[in-house]
Amino acid sequence: MITSVAASHAKGKFATDNIFGANAAAVQAVAKYGKDSVTNATIGALLDDNEVLVCLPTVEKVLRGLPIQEIINYAPIAGLPDFQESVIDLAFAEQKPEAYVKAIATSGGSGVIHHAIWNYTEIGDTVLTSDWFWGPYRVLCEDKLRKLDTFSMFDEQQRFNLNSFQTKLTSLLEKQNNALLIINTPAHNPTGYSISDDEWTQLLDICKESAKNPDKRVILLADIAYIDFAGEKQACRAFMRQFSNLPDNILVILGYSMSKSFTVYGQRCGAMIGVSSNKDIIKEFEDINQYTSRATWSNINRGAQRMLATIHKDQALLAQVDAERDQGYRTIQERAGIFTAEAKQANLKMLPFIAGYFLTIPAKNPEAVCNKLHDDLIFAVPLGKGVRIAVCAVPSRKIKGMAAKVAAAMAAVE
Ligand SMILES: Cc1ncc(COP(=O)(O)O)c(C=O)c1O
């Protein structure tokens, strides 16, 4: 009896989604005990205080107001020219580096990661990220026959661990010529950490040191999926200025996503923004990534692109979107603030949170902690080394008391 007809590279693959699993358990509990009794901290989307998915009102108005042809038609493979221009402005704001910069439309931030892996590493190569990371990074690497390795994100003092980063990068470049680094900041998923400007300087110095060997190339993918929930617009983008005048063999790619920034997760729209001192490298960036788009998904949702460009070109609309989003940011910060203060009181150790959709509690047995929390009808996501709490999805009234319950669950099982 045959049990598989898959090609050798596909055989045996299946996507385990522990986030989906944890959410399913919460949904079951809601059906049994009612919504008010259940705390569902598994959802990676902004929910309001009634636990309803937020769509920024101006985004809804502009999207619904587009002519139907602008919604249903194809877009150019690399994206609408208006979108390409606007997305660069929105990603950098006033912090645009001195460099050649080009954007191409992608299927969200995920599409950026996909293209970066495919086009900037060899089959069999290893990609480097921090040990706390968004799970799909591994799937994206492995599906494309690459491996993922990690550096320790924090040292014993909970500071960003540049030594570990340097050690891993150096040894990676002893084995391969291209090093693709995925750095998710600011408002990192799952910890909420943002790399400081000073840490960025040091991180780039380490990359420049490696790039002194002209045979080596460093491709630095800054995954900025949460940038619009990271704090003051210019301050949380100031690091981008440091991408000015880098050596030719360092290419920076920004992974921009409309999922969170415009609350249009399912519209699948984002942008891959290349930054280089070398015109030819940026021409190559446009050519090869456009080619991969054609070969992967063809073109990207035209309506979402038009919506972004329409908002960006109208000062009043843009100011409205910024204000509405800022309200969401402040809501999340308030929720995280309650948890953080109560965690301190309960002696519960958290990873350093600055901003973002999630915070994380390191744990020896995350699965057991999460299962124990089910007794209190609290649902969170067990990660490899910790428990992820989606503060983006839980109203403040349900956050109150949660840290103490997490501390108690940890004491009970660890
Ligand atoms: C760290 C990180 N990067 C990228 C993404 C990409 O999201 P999307 O493909 O929806 O833009 C996400 C979404 O959850 C994320 O958490």
Side-chain angles (χ1 to χ4, degrees), residues 158 191 336 339-340 343 348-353 359-362:
Q158 303 263 54
T191 65
F339 192 97
T340 307
L348 180 69
K349 188 178 153 206
M350 279 171 55
L351 293 173
F353 174 93
L359 56 81
T360 294
I361 295 116

Side-chain angles (χ1 to χ4, degrees), residues 79-321:
L80 293 171
D82 281 356
F83 170 80
Q84 293 170 316
E85 235 175 69
S86 293
V87 81
I88 288 173
D89 258 12
L90 291 175
F92 291 108
E94 288 161 30
Q95 308 301 326
K96 200 167 164 196
E98 279 172 46
Y100 294 98
V101 173
K102 286 284 177 190
I104 73 154
T106 57
S107 168
S110 304
V112 180
I113 302 160
H114 172 274
H115 280 26
I117 295 167
W118 183 247
N119 286 329
Y120 292 101
T121 63
E122 304 288 334
I123 290 174
D125 272 1
T126 296
V127 173
L128 188 61
T129 194
S130 52
D131 55 353
W132 295 98
F133 67 92
W134 184 49
Y137 289 167
R138 188 181 294 289
V139 182
L140 279 153
C141 287
E142 291 181 353
D143 193 49
K144 276 161 271 307
L145 313 180
R146 273 71 166 176
K147 301 177 206 88
L148 184 71
D149 195 12
T150 59
F151 62 92
S152 303
M153 186 162 168
F154 301 111
D155 63 16
E156 288 80 37
Q157 280 81 46
Q158 303 263 54
R159 287 176 314 209
F160 189 69
N161 197 337
L162 287 153
N163 285 335
S164 177
F165 172 74
Q166 180 162 33
T167 307
K168 285 285 182 149
L169 175 59
T170 308
S171 79
L172 188 61
L173 283 173
E174 279 164 12
K175 294 184 218 108
Q176 59 190 61
N177 285 334
N178 276 25
L180 171 61
L181 318 169
I182 308 181
I183 305 292
N184 174 211
T185 190
H188 171 258
N189 174 6
T191 65
Y193 188 69
S194 299
I195 295 177
S196 71
D197 291 349
D198 181 49
E199 286 161 346
W200 261 114
T201 307
Q202 294 178 63
L203 188 150
L204 287 169
D205 282 348
I206 292 166
C207 294
K208 285 178 201 165
E209 189 57 38
S210 289
K212 277 187 181 154
N213 179 344
D215 296 334
K216 303 294 173 183
R217 272 103 35 174
V218 176
I219 291 84
L220 179 55
L221 168 49
D223 179 351
I224 57 165
Y226 296 90
I227 192 143
D228 285 315
F229 289 85
E232 198 278 321
K233 194 186 260 190
Q234 304 306 330
C236 72
R237 285 168 167 78
F239 70 92
M240 295 175 179
R241 286 239 182 236
Q242 299 192 46
F243 301 151
S244 302
N245 306 312
L246 292 172
D248 285 2
N249 53 346
I250 299 183
L251 170 67
V252 172
I253 298 170
L254 294 189
Y256 179 88
S257 167
M258 287 179 72
S259 297
K260 285 88 190 170
S261 291
F262 286 83
T263 61
V264 287
Y265 314 84
Q267 297 298 303
R268 311 308 308 135
C269 193
M272 180 176 202
I273 304 174
V275 182
S276 170
S277 308
N278 182 320
K279 203 174 177 179
D280 295 334
I281 301 293
I282 284 298
K283 174 77 175 75
E284 177 191 62
F285 170 87
E286 283 186 283
D287 290 345
I288 64 177
N289 290 304
Q290 192 173 155
Y291 186 93
T292 300
S293 295
R294 173 74 269 186
T296 309
W297 54 61
S298 173
N299 67 129
I300 293 296
N301 185 324
R302 185 185 185 101
Q305 293 180 57
R306 179 60 69 206
M307 179 265 283
L308 179 142
T310 304
I311 291 171
H312 171 251
K313 286 183 190 326
D314 182 321
Q315 290 279 329
L317 287 177
L318 186 59
Q320 252 169 271
V321 168

